[in-house]
């Protein structure tokens, strides 16, 4: 008798085929899932940049820029791009190896462009250039800090969205500051919208005197204060700054980086150079175009309380008006609890962040101002910068001293953004008090009147 041939029943055959199909389906699903999975860091950068660009475009202004956005690093496997398509500009997030698009959002109806210049000595030759696409920092940037990138948008006169190039300068300690070529000649898009007839420049003069405490601490906090002020004011004014910096030794010249060390016995002050730039670029009267806010940071054990003093030139009505507007905003901070720019509840555990300071508003005559080192009152200004000397009483200028009593909780270390924001609000209050520009009253003349 023959042995019967072994065979699978239809049921088992179908079961095996079903299992194979399930395995293949799961495998394909997993492959698709992992190919389309978006790293949370990439998504955060994408969303941050998308919101920045959309807000910039929402101002509906042209020939202006939006202050730069700081972007953290994201995985090098991902690429964020501004892409010019047939119908406009898209912001895409793609996988580098597979070129698979994970996210895409239309930003503008017009093609992308680039705005900048190649010759640093001739910033007036900036121009708009066509650009097909721009890869955004697919690997760590070569500047310090290595985990931070910067992007800034410029809206061209024809409404195109431009990537702004050569827009940041870096100090010796690698702190980014907005390029003077932008801040001295272009308004922000927010400023063009909110203050179309009052495009004012504000000049932050970083003052320093040797008797203000430990140089390293004073200069570091002063530099951070200027940066906070620049960031808070940049949406509503043209911003320029002067800085006092130590000589930096051991600057990096090649990879790997060697961190520079500061020599606080040798200081550089950019004030004379900045005044010369203003004198060349701003036509009189300066009072119609320029405000000055000059902060001085000092640490003292001679006083029992933190003190903030606003000085103005007593014979200058505009300086007084500017100082009073800033004083009103600063008073709103006193007695409140702030950590950076966030207000906290007044509880015992937050006592270290409470702002408890005396606020003074003081006029100075020119002789007193000269003794305090305020540059607008210096007699030598008449020879070096006659335009500033001639208009010193018409330029709205406030000199603000922050005296931090080191015997108590710190005045500035955790409060720089809060102070900067309050001063920016005071600046806006000052602008609102200025007379509004009116349209010209000239009427067209009919050269051929009817008889």
């Amino acid at each position: 008798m023959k042995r019967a041939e072994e065979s699978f029943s239809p049921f088992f055959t179908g079961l095996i085929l079903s299992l194979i199909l399930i395995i293949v389906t799961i495998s394909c699903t997993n492959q698709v899932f992992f190919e389309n999975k978006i790293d949370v860091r990439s998504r955060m950068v994408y969303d941050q940049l998308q919101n920045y660009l959309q807000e910039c475009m929402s101002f509906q202004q042209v020939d202006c820029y939006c202050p730069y956005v700081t972007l953290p690093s994201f995985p090098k496997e991902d690429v964020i791009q501004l892409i010019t398509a047939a119908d406009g500009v898209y912001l895409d997030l793609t996988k580098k190896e597979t070129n698979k698009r994970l996210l895409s959002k239309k930003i503008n109806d017009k093609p992308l462009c680039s705005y900048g210049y190649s010759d640093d000595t001739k910033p007036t030759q900036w121009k708009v250039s066509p650009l097909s696409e721009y890869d955004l920092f697919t690997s760590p940037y070569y500047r310090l800090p290595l985990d931070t990138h910067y992007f800034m948008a410029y809206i061209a006169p024809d409404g195109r969205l431009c990537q702004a190039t050569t827009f940041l300068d870096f100090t010796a300690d690698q702190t980014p500051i907005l390029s003077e070529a932008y801040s001295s000649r272009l308004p922000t898009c927010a400023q063009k919208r909110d203050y179309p007839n009052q495009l004012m420049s504000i000049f932050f003069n970083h003052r320093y005197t040797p008797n203000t405490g430990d140089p390293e601490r004073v200069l570091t906090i002063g530099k951070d204060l200027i940066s906070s002020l620049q960031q808070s004011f940049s949406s509503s004014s043209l911003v320029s700054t002067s800085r006092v910096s130590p000589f930096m030794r051991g600057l990096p010249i090649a990879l790997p980086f060697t961190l520079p060390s500061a020599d606080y016995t040798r200081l550089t002050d950019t004030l004379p150079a900045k005044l010369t730039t203003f004198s060349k670029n701003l036509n009189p009267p300066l009072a119609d175009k320029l405000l000055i806010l000059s902060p001085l940071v000092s640490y003292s054990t001679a006083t029992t309380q933190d003190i903030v003093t606003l000085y103005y030139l007593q014979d200058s009505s505009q300086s007084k008006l500017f100082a009073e507007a800033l004083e009103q905003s600063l008073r709103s901070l006193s007695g409140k609890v702030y950590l950076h720019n966030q207000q906290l509840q007044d509880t015992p555990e937050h006592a270290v962040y409470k702002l408890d300071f005396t606020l003074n508003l003081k006029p100075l005559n020119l002789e007193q101002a000269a003794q305090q080192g305020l540059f607008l009152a210096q007699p030598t200004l008449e020879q070096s910068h006659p335009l500033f000397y001639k208009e010193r009483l018409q330029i709205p200028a406030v000199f603000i001293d922050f005296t931090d009593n080191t015997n108590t909780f710190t005045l500035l270390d955790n409060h720089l953004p809060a102070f900067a924001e309050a001063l920016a609000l005071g600046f806006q209050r000052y602008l609102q008090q200025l007379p509004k520009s009116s349209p010209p009253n000239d009427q067209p003349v009919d050269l051929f009147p009817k008889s």
Side-chain angles (χ1 to χ4, degrees), residues 291-343:
L291 295 93
I292 296 173
L293 185 59
S294 182
L296 173 68
V297 174
S298 64
Y299 291 87
S300 173
T301 57
T303 177
T304 59
Q305 192 170 13
D306 296 332
I307 301 173
V308 179
T309 305
L310 295 164
Y311 295 102
Y312 64 92
L313 298 177
Q314 68 178 21
D315 296 323
S316 172
S317 59
Q318 290 304 312
S319 288
K320 182 179 181 181
L321 186 64
F322 188 24
E324 289 173 342
L326 298 179
E327 179 199 24
Q328 186 176 349
S329 289
L330 289 178
R331 287 200 182 280
S332 66
L333 293 181
S334 183
K336 295 182 180 178
V337 182
Y338 279 89
L339 176 58
H340 303 304
N341 204 25
Q342 181 180 0
Q343 186 173 358

Side-chain angles (χ1 to χ4, degrees), residues 217 220-222 224-225 228 297 299 306 333 336-344 349-357 402 404 408-421:
R217 188 180 187 188
T220 299
I221 292 295
D224 293 342
L225 175 59
S228 295
V297 174
Y299 291 87
D306 296 332
L333 293 181
K336 295 182 180 178
V337 182
Y338 279 89
L339 176 58
H340 303 304
N341 204 25
Q342 181 180 0
Q343 186 173 358
L344 307 176
E349 61 268 27
H350 294 155
V352 67
Y353 304 122
K354 188 171 184 177
L355 278 165
D356 182 16
F357 59 91
F402 294 92
D404 195 329
T408 59
F409 297 132
T410 181
L411 173 68
L412 293 174
D413 286 352
N414 297 299
H415 299 134
L416 295 181
F419 273 114
E421 187 66 23

Side-chain angles (χ1 to χ4, degrees), residues 13 22 102 140-141 176 183 235 277 301 322-323 348 372 381 412 414 443:
T13 301
I22 291 173
L102 304 180
Y141 198 35
S183 60
S235 64
T277 300
T301 57
F322 188 24
Q372 290 213 16
L381 199 66
L412 293 174
N414 297 299
Q443 299 296 325

Side-chain angles (χ1 to χ4, degrees), residues 433-445:
Q433 298 179 66
L434 296 178
K436 304 299 181 183
S437 300
S438 57
N441 295 322
D442 297 339
Q443 299 296 325
V445 178

Side-chain angles (χ1 to χ4, degrees), residues 22-38:
I22 291 173
I23 292 173
V24 170
T25 302
I26 292 176
S27 176
C28 293
T29 301
N30 284 339
Q31 182 179 1
V32 171
F33 173 78
F34 285 110
E35 285 183 355
N36 293 310
K37 184 178 180 182
I38 302 176

Side-chain angles (χ1 to χ4, degrees), residues 151-369:
F151 180 85
M152 191 166 76
Y154 164 74
I155 309 302
D158 60 3
R160 283 184 292 168
L161 171 68
C162 287
Q163 148 218 341
T165 61
T166 321
F167 62 91
L168 286 181
D169 293 332
F170 284 75
T171 60
D173 59 355
Q174 302 301 323
T175 301
I177 59 175
L178 194 62
S179 170
E180 292 291 331
Y182 273 89
S183 60
S184 63
R185 66 173 295 270
L186 286 175
T188 66
C189 296
Q191 184 190 18
K192 285 197 73 171
R193 182 193 67 178
D194 297 336
Y195 305 99
N197 299 318
Q198 295 169 340
L199 300 183
M200 303 288 288
S201 294
I202 187 160
F203 177 43
F204 297 122
N205 168 224
H206 179 191
R207 285 184 292 140
Y208 171 80
T209 58
N211 60 347
T212 51
D214 174 54
E216 180 176 1
R217 188 180 187 188
V218 169
L219 289 175
T220 299
I221 292 295
K223 176 204 68 177
D224 293 342
L225 175 59
I226 291 291
S227 297
S228 295
L229 288 170
Q230 185 183 31
Q231 184 174 0
S232 295
F233 278 75
S234 62
S235 64
S236 58
S237 62
L238 307 180
V239 177
S240 185
T241 66
S242 72
R243 293 175 182 261
V244 180
S245 303
F247 175 75
M248 305 303 293
R249 297 176 296 188
L251 291 176
I253 57 175
L255 293 174
F257 289 112
T258 57
L259 295 178
S261 60
D263 181 359
Y264 289 95
T265 64
R266 300 168 58 185
L267 301 177
T268 59
D269 188 351
T270 60
L271 174 62
K274 294 300 173 68
L275 292 184
T276 299
T277 300
F278 275 127
S279 299
K280 292 180 178 179
N281 295 341
L282 292 181
N283 296 322
L286 298 183
D288 293 342
K289 309 174 185 68
L290 180 66
L291 295 93
I292 296 173
L293 185 59
S294 182
L296 173 68
V297 174
S298 64
Y299 291 87
S300 173
T301 57
T303 177
T304 59
Q305 192 170 13
D306 296 332
I307 301 173
V308 179
T309 305
L310 295 164
Y311 295 102
Y312 64 92
L313 298 177
Q314 68 178 21
D315 296 323
S316 172
S317 59
Q318 290 304 312
S319 288
K320 182 179 181 181
L321 186 64
F322 188 24
E324 289 173 342
L326 298 179
E327 179 199 24
Q328 186 176 349
S329 289
L330 289 178
R331 287 200 182 280
S332 66
L333 293 181
S334 183
K336 295 182 180 178
V337 182
Y338 279 89
L339 176 58
H340 303 304
N341 204 25
Q342 181 180 0
Q343 186 173 358
L344 307 176
Q345 292 184 345
D346 189 358
T347 58
E349 61 268 27
H350 294 155
V352 67
Y353 304 122
K354 188 171 184 177
L355 278 165
D356 182 16
F357 59 91
T358 298
L359 183 62
N360 300 318
L361 183 66
K362 293 184 178 182
L364 296 175
N365 59 39
L366 287 175
E367 182 179 355
Q368 293 169 328

